[in-house]
Amino acid sequence: KYFASCPRGLEFVLKQELEMPKINAANVKMAFRGCTFEGDQRVGFRAIIWLRTSHKLMEMIAQSERIESSDDIYEMVSSIRWDNFMGPHQTLQVETVFGALTKGITHSHFTSLTVKNAIVDQFRRLSPNSQRPSVDVENPDLPLVFHLDNGHG
């Protein structure tokens, strides 16, 4: 599952592009400033090549319909096996993007820190000598975007 971001107001144009035979994305749904869609890795690569209105194309690795607190964010992020995506000697960066705000979660930097903490805490727990990834905001090995829109993360 993927999310393609676009400027506000161009979601319908992006949806049409994703449904073109050149890309052939499945289950395309408009969202705030973008579209979600499904497909295999080839669909993702075709989207990278052929989309014109999209700013970023992101692969969705987890989703939750009930994010009501920073504890919910931590729990959701902790449920992912991060060693499938990176090692303890690699670097990461977390960006938080808000759609409609969720009551009690309004600060993007704090939310990004919560996501980062859940990831590095998991590495510390699983590593015999508490090794963990570092943060690199300039050139991370794994750039992550946490998108939260009205309780859906």
Side-chain angles (χ1 to χ4, degrees):
K1 195 166 186 179
Y2 296 91
F3 180 79
S5 66
C6 70
R8 192 166 159 188
L10 291 179
E11 295 89 348
F12 183 73
V13 175
L14 178 58
K15 182 179 187 296
Q16 289 178 318
E17 288 180 358
L18 285 163
E19 292 171 337
M20 291 186 315
K22 283 182 181 178
I23 299 173
N24 201 27
N27 298 324
V28 181
K29 293 183 176 70
M30 290 189 299
F32 181 69
R33 293 186 181 166
C35 290
T36 60
F37 65 98
E38 295 177 9
D40 60 15
Q41 196 174 45
R42 289 179 300 207
V43 171
F45 286 135
R46 287 194 303 262
I48 290 170
I49 292 169
W50 295 108
L51 287 177
R52 301 187 73 170
T53 54
S54 178
H55 285 152
K56 286 183 184 177
L57 180 65
M58 297 164 269
E59 185 174 6
M60 294 177 24
I61 58 175
Q63 195 171 1
S64 175
E65 302 296 320
R66 294 184 350 122
I67 301 282
E68 297 173 356
S69 69
S70 59
D71 290 339
D72 293 339
I73 294 169
Y74 190 95
E75 185 178 319
M76 183 194 89
V77 174
S78 294
S79 71
I80 300 164
R81 285 293 309 254
W82 289 102
D83 57 348
N84 290 333
F85 297 97
M86 67 183 310
H89 299 292
Q90 291 182 293
T91 59
L92 67 108
Q93 178 223 4
V94 181
E95 174 188 356
T96 296
V97 176
F98 289 127
L101 291 179
T102 301
K103 185 177 180 179
I105 305 173
T106 58
H107 196 280
S108 62
H109 182 69
F110 177 75
T111 302
S112 294
L113 287 175
T114 302
V115 172
K116 184 268 303 177
N117 289 341
I119 296 168
V120 300
D121 288 351
Q122 183 182 99
F123 274 95
R124 279 191 184 131
R125 278 192 310 274
L126 297 176
S127 172
N129 53 0
S130 297
Q131 290 180 321
R132 54 155 275 195
S134 298
V135 173
D136 183 345
V137 296
E138 298 295 322
N139 190 26
D141 296 310
L142 182 64
L144 297 169
V145 176
F146 180 74
H147 183 263
L148 184 62
D149 185 13
N150 201 24
H152 302 278

